[in-house]
């Protein structure tokens, strides 16, 4: 039986596009694993990750969407896309396009930054690929959040434990390919 991939907590990659969002952030985290597809683009890696979102994650998103509507917040849909926003070929995406629940803000071969803004907080997620001087190619999944009000702080207190589990699971599933 193969060993599960090792997921490591790391700093948001220095020099990455998402690192510029760190000043003033309320929350930031980043996890890293070995990249099983180093020749592919960062966006292709993200699309591959979204194609294998566990069912429990989509059920949590559906519950989240029902609950936040009561507070007047956005229904984001499913993490990996839905009928209204199906996933496409990586080459067809441009900055501003929607990928699952996020819009692309930065698109380069080695990093894709996506975001979603609402009245209570702004979220950015980055998938960054890098080749260290020694060792195998790496992939990092980073999140930076800026909150705007008390609702944003309460929301973060409730979702951070789920966020960490979801991100680690998504990265582990991708790295295990």
């Amino acid at each position: 039986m193969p060993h599960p991939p090792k997921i490591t907590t790391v700093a948001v990659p220095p020099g990455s596009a998402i690192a510029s969002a760190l000043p003033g952030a309320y929350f930031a985290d980043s996890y890293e694993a070995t990249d099983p597809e180093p020749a592919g683009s960062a966006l292709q890696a993200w699309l591959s990750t979204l194609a294998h979102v566990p069912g429990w994650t989509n059920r949590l998103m559906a519950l989240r969407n029902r609950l936040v509507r009561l507070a007047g917040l956005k229904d984001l849909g499913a993490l990996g896309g839905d009928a209204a926003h199906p996933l496409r070929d990586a080459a067809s995406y441009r900055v501003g396009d929607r990928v699952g629940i996020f819009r692309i803000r930065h698109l380069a071969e080695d990093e894709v930054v996506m975001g979603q803004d609402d009245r209570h907080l702004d979220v950015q997620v980055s998938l960054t690929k890098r080749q260290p001087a020694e060792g195998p190619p790496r992939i990092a999944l980073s999140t930076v959040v800026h909150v705007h009000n008390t609702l944003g702080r309460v929301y973060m207190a409730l979702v951070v434990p789920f966020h960490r589990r979801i991100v680690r699971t998504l990265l582990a599933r991708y790295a295990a390919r």
Side-chain angles (χ1 to χ4, degrees):
M1 182 173 182
H3 295 293
K6 183 177 180 185
I7 307 301
T8 308
T9 303
V10 296
V12 171
S16 63
I18 198 168
S20 67
L22 284 171
Y26 178 82
F27 173 85
D29 68 359
S30 187
Y31 299 94
E32 189 176 72
T34 299
D35 186 354
E37 297 177 354
S41 70
L43 179 56
Q44 184 56 57
W46 180 245
L47 292 169
S48 294
T49 300
L50 293 182
H52 298 94
V53 171
W56 62 265
T57 301
N58 285 328
R59 289 189 294 278
L60 279 175
M61 281 300 298
L63 176 62
R64 175 244 177 245
N65 289 331
R66 283 194 301 275
L67 293 174
V68 300
R69 273 188 296 223
L70 300 173
L73 303 177
K74 291 179 185 175
D75 177 335
L76 299 175
L79 180 62
D82 51 30
H85 304 96
L87 299 178
R88 307 186 316 255
D89 178 74
S92 71
Y93 284 98
R94 302 288 178 261
V95 171
D97 289 349
R98 186 171 163 154
V99 181
I101 65 173
F102 299 110
R103 292 210 178 269
I104 298 173
R105 295 189 172 166
H106 170 83
L107 186 56
E109 191 66 20
D110 63 346
E111 183 180 17
V112 59
V113 179
M114 296 142 304
Q116 181 63 250
D117 299 342
D118 208 337
R119 63 185 175 94
H120 65 305
L121 54 76
D122 298 338
V123 176
Q124 290 190 72
V125 175
S126 165
L127 190 142
T128 307
K129 297 172 101 80
R130 66 181 188 85
Q131 175 61 61
E134 294 183 22
R138 309 293 291 167
I139 189 165
L141 195 51
S142 308
T143 305
V144 176
V145 179
H146 290 263
V147 299
H148 303 306
N149 52 37
T150 302
L151 177 58
R153 287 185 285 285
V154 169
Y155 179 87
M156 288 302 295
L158 295 171
V159 303
V160 163
F162 298 103
H163 160 81
R164 289 187 172 129
R165 173 100 190 264
I166 290 167
V167 170
R168 293 176 69 89
T169 298
L170 291 175
L171 193 54
R173 283 177 158 231
Y174 176 74
R177 301 180 77 216

